[in-house]
Amino acid sequence: MLFNAITWSPSEGLDLGFFTLHYYSLMFLIAFGLGWYIMKSIFVREKVSIEKLDSLFIYTVLATLIGARLGHVIFYDWDYFQNHLLEIFLPVRFEPEFEFTGFRGLASHGAAIGIIIAMYLYRKRVLDKPVLWVLDRIVIPVASGAIFVRIGNFMNSEIIGKPTNSDYGVIFENLGETFPRHPAQLYESFCYLLLFILLWFLYWKTEKRHKVGYLFGLFLVLLWTIRFFIEFVKEAQVEERTTWLLNTGQWLSIPFIIAGLYFMYRPNKPRTV
């Protein structure tokens, strides 16, 4: 075969002696750090006070984590959490026995909703700009962050792809498997890299940044279209929904794609802000 299966069996993280830095946490640190740097370059270009960047960073981090957590709870595992409300924001599980789990279970659709709400609040309380102005720019670092989040999922052997039924793919040995699956996390990560490059190019090299809402809309359309199609090679995250025509992630992606098309093609006079 042209491609032979790769056996994937990483450690839990980087052993720093006094504690282990889990790879998923490391990917989030990289995502947020790179996002801060990207937004700094944008603020400098737009002549926005760098002092307002720290507030944006805090709003974005909190919105991402809280939104993603609530998204997982509501969209994917409400049957369990409705009877275990304390576990929603605690890094523990009380049943069947007490266990320290860390913060597991984050949903990107919830993160997206959280960030949109946070940018509205940020604009209202901190930065005197239209909310779409903020969203047009924040989607650039968000796209870059999505790259590393999916790499983190791959490191954790989670959100796995379906079996390839061939010699091609990745064998997730940590899951006790001996057959290859699609590395769906890496497919998605690579597509998000292309999305980030496109948004970066359009912002820095074209006049599209002056069409308020366009970059935000393009981000919604492309990111959730990527998610929609890659879901076809992923295992369903909720076993009871395997008989659905489309899985949960696909159904949730459709409204975002429609909203993105609206923001891209709504009547809008280009202007310099």
Side-chain angles (χ1 to χ4, degrees):
M1 294 293 291
L2 181 60
F3 298 104
N4 291 322
I6 298 171
T7 299
W8 183 243
S9 181
S11 63
E12 291 186 358
L14 301 176
D15 186 357
L16 302 179
F18 53 96
F19 81 102
T20 298
L21 177 59
H22 292 272
Y23 292 121
Y24 194 58
S25 299
L26 177 61
M27 292 301 106
F28 264 91
L29 290 175
I30 293 173
F32 287 129
L34 179 59
W36 184 90
Y37 179 80
I38 292 170
M39 282 306 298
K40 179 183 178 182
S41 66
I42 292 173
F43 271 35
V44 169
R45 183 187 198 189
E46 304 281 358
K47 296 181 173 57
V48 176
S49 172
I50 297 300
E51 294 179 357
K52 299 182 184 296
L53 184 58
D54 290 340
S55 296
L56 178 62
F57 180 79
I58 293 171
Y59 272 82
T60 305
V61 170
L62 291 177
T64 300
L65 297 179
I66 295 173
R69 181 58 174 165
L70 288 177
H72 172 79
V73 168
I74 296 170
F75 299 141
Y76 291 97
D77 208 5
W78 180 242
D79 287 344
Y80 174 82
F81 283 104
Q82 64 180 332
N83 299 315
H84 304 83
L85 296 178
L86 285 178
E87 295 180 19
I88 293 177
F89 290 112
L90 293 178
V92 299
R93 181 182 291 270
F94 294 105
E95 295 180 1
E97 60 184 16
F98 182 84
E99 177 188 4
F100 180 82
T101 61
F103 289 103
R104 298 177 183 174
L106 302 174
S108 54
H109 293 91
I113 295 171
I115 290 172
I116 292 171
I117 295 172
M119 293 308 100
Y120 170 78
L121 296 175
Y122 172 76
R123 172 263 169 195
K124 189 174 183 180
R125 298 176 181 178
V126 181
L127 186 64
D128 187 21
K129 293 280 190 181
V131 66
L132 284 175
W133 185 96
V134 182
L135 290 170
D136 279 337
R137 286 146 183 82
I138 197 67
V139 294
I140 301 174
V142 168
S144 72
I147 300 168
F148 296 98
V149 170
R150 284 297 179 249
I151 292 175
N153 294 140
F154 181 73
M155 300 297 290
N156 274 2
S157 301
E158 61 189 8
I159 311 183
I160 55 177
K162 295 178 179 178
T164 62
N165 298 316
S166 71
D167 291 335
Y168 162 77
V170 174
I171 300 172
F172 292 97
E173 195 170 67
N174 285 355
L175 302 180
E177 297 181 345
T178 58
F179 56 89
R181 293 179 177 274
H182 285 283
Q185 313 96 321
L186 299 185
Y187 298 163
E188 210 166 335
S189 182
F190 177 72
C191 290
Y192 293 157
L193 172 62
L194 298 180
L195 173 59
F196 166 71
I197 293 172
L198 175 62
L199 292 172
W200 179 265
F201 175 81
L202 291 176
Y203 174 79
W204 284 97
K205 301 298 183 180
T206 75
E207 299 300 309
K208 289 296 186 182
R209 69 184 182 280
H210 297 313
K211 184 178 180 182
V212 178
Y214 181 84
L215 292 179
F216 174 57
L218 181 64
F219 167 84
L220 292 180
V221 170
L222 294 183
L223 183 134
W224 299 112
T225 297
I226 290 168
R227 175 69 182 272
F228 183 91
F229 284 106
I230 290 182
E231 287 292 322
F232 284 114
V233 297
K234 286 184 185 178
E235 292 285 11
Q237 295 184 55
V238 182
E239 187 174 349
E240 293 77 10
R241 302 174 187 174
T242 54
T243 58
W244 287 15
L245 176 64
L246 301 174
N247 67 29
T248 306
Q250 291 171 315
W251 284 116
L252 292 172
S253 296
I254 292 172
F256 284 99
I257 295 171
I258 295 172
L261 291 171
Y262 167 77
F263 286 113
M264 286 180 68
Y265 296 111
R266 67 179 185 142
N268 191 3
K269 293 182 180 180
R271 61 173 181 170
T272 303
V273 293

